Amino acid sequence: MLPKRCDAVVVGAGFGGLIMTLRLRELGLDVVGLERGGDFGGTWYWNRYPGCRCDVESMEYSYQFSKELEQEWQWPERYSAQPEILAYAQHVADRFDVRRLFHFNREVVSAVFDSTDSTWTVGTREGEALTCSYLIMATGCLSAANIPAFAGLNDYKGRTYHTGAWPHGGVDFTGQRVAVIGTGSSAIQSIPIIARQAKSLHVFQRTANYSIPAQNAPLPEETAAAIKANYGELRERNWNQPAAFGAYYERNPDSVLTATPEERKARFERYWVMGGFMFLGAFGDLVMNVDANAHAAEFVRSKIRETVKDPGTAELLCPKGIIACKRLCADTGYFETYNLPHVKLVDVSQKPIERLNPTGLETGGNHYEFDAIVFATGFDAMTGALLRMGIVGEGGLTLKDKWSAGPRTWLGVTTSGFPNLWMMTGPGSPSVLANMITGVEHHADFISRQIEWLRKQGHTRIEADVAAEDQWVDTLNQRASLTLYPHCNSWYLGANVPGKPRVFMPYLGWPDYVQRLRQIEADDYTGFKVA
Ligand code: N01
């Protein structure tokens, strides 16, 4: 049973909710966590598809708040697989005794502000209500699954799966005719594994994607020990990296445009072998300048052509646009999978999937039959989880109405008209463009210290100032417009969900964001109104 009243409610038991709850309990608050899933883990609880793995290295994708935890936890691989990360989240919850603060299988469907006493009342799908003074949404950036509204979706009689809501018991595709719709990160990771089991695999691709081999490998004990011997220093350097990770690696600041063709190729080859995101460190201007970017894009295409034997399939797999304005993918044997005789690529860029029918799907005048269809079709990113919840602020203003033309926040943490409500890694914060665990830890510290300050000052409510928020939105847009990010149909812009406002949602600029929040805190929270 939920209590009727508490000091603070934290929604979500992912890495954000976990550290947030811990911090609020340290303040001595009566805090209740609510989670729609059955355990801790968030993203890593839901995304159990085969091959699911992090694209930030294990030694960096972890909490920093406990030196003992950091020293004791052993990561077996360079990039951790989903079960390992899930086990880590659950270990942290137990070790720091956060489990007893959470109620699982509780989906928050409403949150309504009462201005008479500055409280929030949250309602769950299970029919309960809980009133609190502080409400923190730790609901994740990629947690609201997106299944396109294909005609005939419910007519299909075979099994369907979404990569972001994978069955806990796993799925055995042995002997089955399988379709995967989508070629984003989730598809690129799962396709090689599904192909090993399936009798036949058809991949329906609307937009080809850039992917770099992850170069995953066991993490040698000596490597982990060397990092742990100086962990603080690595963490500190990472705080000053543009995405809060990757300080191990040398980033070359030179322009690709002034390099000779030989230097260019040699350097791209060297960074290709480093794997994943590190490839973009080969030159200093790859994500800033379209001509520079074209060199990196062409290098990746040349690798695809070298790998995929059938020239027609290789050409279809070659992405056409800017590299890294959609999230770059990291794979293990993705392109090689198309050399298997039972794996077929179907291009739906010109002739979209028309409909599902009882036995399969139709596109381009062809009918394909399947035993199972996997939707690797992504998420209603960054705003989806918040807007699906029915949040009502001051004077009956709904978040849905306020954000009807795109999200507006102050620092990606609060939004005016919604007092005493915080978002962890919300739209308008670096969030998905930085190491997520560092991001949530940073926000948990900022939010908990702000609540502590509020109470010490004797205030009962705090909210974003409209002018500060307007300025923040302008700054965010201005920064994005100086980069290549707005130039493709990415989920960063909401372009993957029909009808969603096309607005660049994350804030570009990790290290200076941290400085900015430090300054705001030192100045007793400029840009906020208190009462
Ligand atoms: O989702 P996506 P995802 N008909 O949105 C296609 C993180 N992540 O789950 O590009 C046909 O990237 C869509 O096509 P298009 C990471 O941040 C991290 O793969 O819109 N196709 C696209 O190909 C990542 O970016 C890790 O034209 C349709 C695909 O579905 C984010 O999660 C692993 C369609 C969706 O790709 C999301 O990745 C996994 C339609 N109607 C995820 N609608 C790692 O850490 C959509 N598509 C490694």
Side-chain angles (χ1 to χ4, degrees):
M1 287 285 285
L2 289 189
K4 293 270 172 278
R5 179 101 219 191
C6 65
D7 293 327
V9 167
V10 175
V11 184
F15 281 111
L18 209 169
I19 182 70
M20 191 71 246
T21 310
L22 186 59
R23 286 281 176 261
L24 294 176
R25 191 191 58 194
E26 284 166 359
L27 291 183
L29 298 194
D30 175 16
V31 50
V32 171
L34 299 174
E35 162 60 50
R36 82 185 150 106
D39 209 331
F40 289 96
T43 288
W44 304 100
Y45 175 89
W46 296 103
N47 286 268
R48 294 165 185 250
Y49 60 82
C52 182
R53 185 178 291 286
C54 191
D55 55 6
V56 176
E57 294 195 28
S58 311
M59 295 301 289
E60 302 179 290
Y61 191 80
S62 54
Y63 285 125
Q64 305 177 34
F65 70 89
S66 162
K67 297 303 161 215
E68 294 75 26
L69 170 69
E70 189 174 74
Q71 288 296 324
E72 287 165 26
W73 188 265
Q74 307 275 355
W75 296 104
E77 293 179 272
R78 180 183 176 194
Y79 295 102
S80 291
Q82 172 270 336
E84 193 63 35
I85 305 174
L86 184 63
Y88 173 74
Q90 296 179 354
H91 168 82
V92 176
D94 291 330
R95 180 173 179 145
F96 295 93
D97 198 21
V98 181
R99 189 173 286 281
R100 68 191 165 82
L101 302 177
F102 264 88
H103 296 258
F104 294 97
N105 303 306
R106 301 300 207 290
E107 184 179 353
V108 172
V109 289
S110 65
V112 180
F113 183 67
D114 182 345
S115 52
T116 56
D117 60 355
S118 299
T119 58
W120 284 92
T121 297
V122 299
T124 66
R125 190 173 298 288
E126 295 68 35
E128 297 145 310
L130 168 57
T131 300
C132 61
S133 305
Y134 316 112
L135 177 58
I136 298 101
M137 296 298 184
T139 44
C141 296
L142 294 160
S143 51
N146 169 49
I147 296 187
F150 293 119
L153 191 57
N154 296 324
D155 298 342
Y156 177 63
K157 298 279 187 273
R159 295 291 181 112
T160 58
Y161 307 96
H162 187 282
T163 48
W166 203 258
H168 284 207
V171 182
D172 182 3
F173 291 109
T174 305
Q176 295 191 14
R177 299 161 304 166
V178 181
V180 173
I181 302 177
T183 49
S185 293
S186 305
I188 280 176
Q189 287 188 326
S190 56
I191 281 167
I193 318 274
I194 295 175
R196 279 185 217 153
Q197 292 183 344
K199 183 171 144 200
S200 67
L201 174 62
H202 284 74
V203 177
F204 292 84
Q205 172 184 274
R206 187 166 68 181
T207 313
N209 229 326
Y210 292 97
S211 185
I212 313 293
Q215 314 285 13
N216 184 41
L219 181 63
E221 268 178 42
E222 321 75 86
T223 308
I227 291 169
K228 286 180 180 179
N230 233 338
Y231 225 149
E233 197 222 350
L234 172 68
R235 300 291 202 188
E236 196 48 46
R237 286 199 291 135
N238 271 345
W239 278 93
N240 293 309
Q241 297 296 311
F245 67 93
Y248 302 117
Y249 297 96
E250 172 216 347
R251 284 166 214 264
N252 170 33
D254 302 341
S255 169
V256 67
L257 300 173
T258 53
T260 65
E262 295 73 26
E263 286 165 348
R264 208 177 279 151
K265 181 158 181 354
R267 191 172 282 277
F268 277 138
E269 290 287 359
R270 191 147 79 76
Y271 279 75
W272 181 261
V273 173
M274 289 184 193
F277 289 118
M278 291 312 132
F279 175 71
L280 297 173
F283 291 94
D285 48 0
L286 299 180
V287 294
M288 300 306 287
N289 176 305
V290 76
D291 296 329
N293 187 279
H295 286 287
E298 189 49 36
F299 182 83
V300 179
R301 285 192 286 269
S302 73
K303 288 289 185 188
I304 296 171
R305 290 180 187 121
E306 270 172 31
T307 308
V308 180
K309 293 192 181 120
D310 174 60
T313 306
E315 259 348 276
L316 282 178
L317 287 166
C318 280
K320 302 289 179 291
I322 291 164
I323 180 169
C325 72
K326 276 188 171 183
R327 169 91 167 199
L328 191 62
C329 302
D331 72 278
T332 302
Y334 173 64
F335 293 111
E336 291 82 344
T337 302
Y338 292 94
N339 293 332
L340 298 173
H342 67 296
V343 177
K344 302 276 177 262
L345 182 68
V346 184
D347 173 25
V348 292
S349 61
Q350 305 305 318
K351 295 177 180 157
I353 294 169
E354 283 148 33
R355 58 171 47 253
L356 269 63
N357 61 30
T359 55
L361 62 80
E362 294 165 25
T363 170
N366 295 312
H367 168 66
Y368 298 85
E369 296 204 343
F370 299 112
D371 301 305
I373 298 179
V374 175
F375 295 103
T377 44
F379 301 89
D380 183 352
M382 305 205 66
T383 54
L386 291 163
L387 294 178
R388 285 179 191 186
M389 231 180 298
I391 300 176
V392 185
E394 181 88 73
L397 175 68
T398 66
L399 190 63
K400 214 171 185 168
D401 280 344
K402 175 167 177 190
W403 287 5
S404 59
R408 300 187 73 78
T409 71
W410 170 220
L411 309 172
V413 184
T414 57
T415 184
S416 62
F418 296 79
N420 295 9
L421 174 87
W422 288 265
M423 294 162 281
M424 302 191 77
T425 58
S429 73
S431 55
V432 293
L433 298 179
N435 182 340
M436 285 303 289
I437 299 203
T438 309
V440 292
E441 223 173 320
H442 177 235
H443 273 178
D445 288 347
F446 179 80
I447 296 167
S448 58
R449 284 200 297 259
Q450 193 171 45
I451 291 175
E452 184 181 24
W453 174 84
L454 206 59
R455 290 166 74 86
K456 279 194 181 142
Q457 301 290 318
H459 301 305
T460 54
R461 77 180 249 170
I462 186 161
E463 78 175 290
D465 183 63
V466 179
E469 181 170 293
D470 288 348
Q471 208 174 33
W472 188 249
V473 174
D474 288 348
T475 308
L476 185 156
N477 290 333
Q478 210 177 5
R479 286 193 174 208
S481 70
L482 298 174
T483 71
L484 301 177
Y485 278 110
H487 297 278
C488 57
N489 294 323
S490 69
W491 57 257
Y492 296 138
L493 286 157
N496 61 324
V497 175
K500 190 166 171 170
R502 202 181 166 108
V503 173
F504 191 74
M505 294 182 283
Y507 179 81
L508 268 158
W510 168 260
D512 74 77
Y513 176 81
V514 175
Q515 295 310 324
R516 183 82 190 257
L517 265 61
R518 280 191 191 139
Q519 193 56 52
I520 286 169
E521 190 180 334
D523 295 341
D524 283 349
Y525 301 103
T526 39
F528 288 91
K529 294 188 298 185
V530 288

